[in-house]
Amino acid sequence: MPSRNVTWMSPLNTRIPYAVYGDGATHDDEQRRIFQGPTWNYLCLDCEIPESGDYRTTHVGETPVVVARGQDGEIYAFENRCSHRGALICLERSGKAAQDFQCVYHAWSYDLQGNLKGVAFEQGVNGGGMPPGFCKEQHHPRKLRVAVFCGLVFGSFSDDVDPIEDYLGDEICERIERVLGRPVEVIGRFTQALPNNWKLYVENVKDSYHASLLHLFFTTFRLNRLSQAGGIIVSDSGGHHVSYSKVDDSSFEGYREQGLRAEQSGYSLEDPSLLQGFKDHDDGITLQILSVFPGFVLQQIQNSIAVRQVLPRGVGDTDLNWTYLGYRSDTPEQREVRLKQANLIGAAGFISMEDGAVGNFVQRGIAGAPDAQSVVEMGGDSTASSTSRATETSVRGFWKHYRALMGV
């Protein structure tokens, strides 16, 4: 049963109880019902493990996982936990294993598919050893189902999760292919520690309404305003979304008369080349933010391309893993532009540094109000796609899918 420490006072998704961001029992339920439930969790990019023996370590929720390229060329994922005493099998973030992994504690070894292959002193030394009936085939760590879509490697502990294309849906698949339909390579990465519950960051990603209000850089330099052409796509489940917009200088009216901070900055760039780019796509879309439930984000902002992985680290802490991408076909000049624009988006980026802070503002603000609720009514109570970005429909969509999985 889900935690009853959190009371949902409305069947609609316009009232979110603040207790859901701070309740320990709910956090534990999320690990079981969401991250280890019928969901696909982003693990890594297939280009990060191109050859047999290449591996990366990651997490599904709070569960440590190894992702490895097998000798047969397939990708495998298994829990990063030795079946003997529970130690991590693999300690490094990435590397290459010749044929197997060996636990440093007692030297139990596992192949690239996660099968237990060797037990040190299994036959004993001057006696001892494992009992005669011990069967290595019965003692491997939990394995995940693996699916690869457009170079994105997803894993699931569930046998009931839909095939990845069905899980994403046609519109989300199309929008992922739009950005990742060409071969990519990693051009940078880092991990950002967020002092807030993981759901607050996911909400923020889905909340297009805040972007031109919180992010002063967006509006000052005419990168994104709600009056631009664009829209919100929400999947049928509610769990996945796309927010997109096109630059149109004629749409930058309407902020000044409301006295918004965005029109009162007075700032300029010492180096305007930060915003000089090139056309990556023919559709005119200069900003696309896409999320896959529960914690994957794909961004295209100008020429800055990245994937983000949202990982809970307890009730009030989250790790945000950023991986910046370029296309293999990039010219040196295009690659320089992507690297320069990486300063726009990230922990200290001109645009998204506020996102790393505002979640904690909420976490601190709701600390004394466990019985209160947020108001998520911008755009009504729908979870449908919208041609307006002045809406919280994709935030409500997140809670629609969340509540279905959590049974609340």
Side-chain angles (χ1 to χ4, degrees):
M1 292 291 292
S3 170
R4 296 305 174 192
N5 296 340
V6 178
T7 301
W8 294 79
M9 301 180 70
S10 171
L12 300 177
N13 297 297
T14 58
R15 296 291 185 273
I16 312 304
Y18 289 140
V20 78
Y21 306 105
D23 178 56
T26 295
H27 177 79
D28 293 342
D29 287 342
E30 290 169 354
Q31 299 304 308
R32 176 172 54 90
R33 289 174 169 264
I34 293 178
F35 293 101
Q36 298 189 34
T39 61
W40 285 108
N41 296 267
Y42 171 74
L43 302 178
C44 68
L45 295 156
D46 66 355
C47 68
E48 295 178 287
I49 48 172
E51 300 178 349
S52 173
D54 291 343
Y55 70 86
R56 290 196 64 82
T57 57
T58 183
H59 289 77
V60 169
E62 293 186 330
T63 303
V65 169
V66 178
V67 191
R69 179 83 65 174
Q71 293 180 324
D72 59 359
E74 296 297 318
I75 296 175
Y76 298 91
F78 52 92
E79 193 173 6
N80 191 4
R81 175 186 55 81
C82 182
S83 302
H84 179 216
R85 300 283 291 277
L88 292 172
I89 297 169
C90 188
L91 302 177
E92 303 298 328
R93 287 204 169 189
S94 64
K96 193 175 189 70
Q99 292 186 345
D100 58 27
F101 302 96
Q102 189 173 89
C103 176
V104 299
Y105 198 178
H106 296 93
W108 285 33
S109 60
Y110 301 83
D111 67 15
L112 297 170
Q113 299 183 30
N115 300 308
L116 177 62
K117 304 303 286 188
V119 174
F121 307 129
E122 183 178 359
Q123 304 305 318
V125 177
N126 297 323
M130 301 300 285
F134 179 76
C135 178
K136 288 193 285 292
E137 288 74 17
Q138 297 177 1
H139 294 279
H140 55 72
R142 288 186 300 168
K143 298 181 180 182
L144 289 78
R145 293 176 58 190
V146 172
V148 182
F149 181 78
C150 257
L152 302 170
V153 181
F154 293 92
S156 180
F157 282 108
S158 172
D159 292 328
D160 299 325
V161 65
D162 291 334
I164 188 64
E165 289 84 357
D166 295 338
Y167 182 80
L168 297 172
D170 291 341
E171 288 184 299
I172 302 300
C173 286
E174 179 182 339
R175 290 292 178 147
I176 292 175
E177 290 173 333
R178 174 184 171 274
V179 178
L180 298 180
R182 290 179 270 171
V184 298
E185 56 189 15
V186 175
I187 62 174
R189 68 172 90 247
F190 61 85
T191 297
Q192 179 182 3
L194 302 176
N196 53 260
N197 186 269
W198 70 277
K199 298 185 293 295
L200 288 171
Y201 184 80
V202 174
E203 278 188 311
N204 181 76
V205 166
K206 293 174 176 289
D207 174 13
S208 59
Y209 166 45
H210 83 278
S212 62
L213 300 172
L214 175 67
H215 302 309
L216 192 63
F217 195 94
F218 260 151
T219 47
T220 299
F221 299 103
R222 301 193 166 216
L223 297 179
N224 182 34
R225 296 195 181 188
L226 291 176
S227 48
Q228 292 172 237
I232 303 287
I233 299 169
V234 184
S235 66
D236 291 341
S237 70
H240 323 312
H241 102 292
V242 180
S243 173
Y244 64 96
S245 64
K246 304 178 182 182
V247 166
D248 176 5
D249 286 343
S250 66
S251 68
F252 279 75
E253 302 300 327
Y255 279 68
R256 184 177 292 107
E257 57 266 29
Q258 295 193 51
L260 298 177
R261 185 174 65 102
E263 276 294 348
Q264 301 172 4
S265 69
Y267 291 113
S268 62
L269 282 176
E270 183 71 22
D271 180 10
S273 70
L274 178 68
L275 298 179
Q276 293 173 1
F278 56 93
K279 182 185 289 188
D280 257 334
H281 305 277
D282 294 328
D283 55 14
I285 293 174
T286 54
L287 182 148
Q288 176 181 291
I289 302 294
L290 179 151
S291 68
V292 174
F293 190 94
F296 170 78
V297 182
L298 170 64
Q299 74 168 53
Q300 175 240 327
I301 300 178
Q302 305 294 97
N303 301 117
S304 178
I305 304 168
V307 295
R308 312 177 203 167
Q309 181 189 35
V310 184
L311 295 175
R313 286 288 177 264
V315 174
D317 293 283
T318 301
D319 274 356
L320 181 60
N321 292 327
W322 297 75
T323 305
Y324 289 97
L325 304 175
Y327 296 120
R328 291 183 194 168
S329 59
D330 283 348
T331 65
E333 293 77 17
Q334 289 172 331
R335 183 58 51 87
E336 183 178 357
V337 168
R338 295 196 200 283
L339 290 170
K340 183 172 285 191
Q341 288 188 10
N343 292 290
L344 293 175
I345 313 298
F350 286 118
I351 291 174
S352 61
M353 60 181 174
E354 298 95 345
D355 291 329
V358 74
N360 182 249
F361 297 166
V362 176
Q363 196 82 45
R364 290 156 57 191
I366 64 178
D371 297 325
Q373 308 169 86
S374 64
V375 179
V376 189
E377 287 190 352
M378 181 61 65
D381 61 12
S382 170
T383 61
S385 299
S386 170
T387 56
S388 170
R389 291 182 299 123
T391 178
E392 292 166 314
T393 185
S394 49
V395 179
R396 291 188 290 271
F398 169 81
W399 289 110
K400 171 187 172 181
H401 196 45
Y402 176 95
R403 295 179 71 175
L405 290 173
M406 292 288 286
V408 294

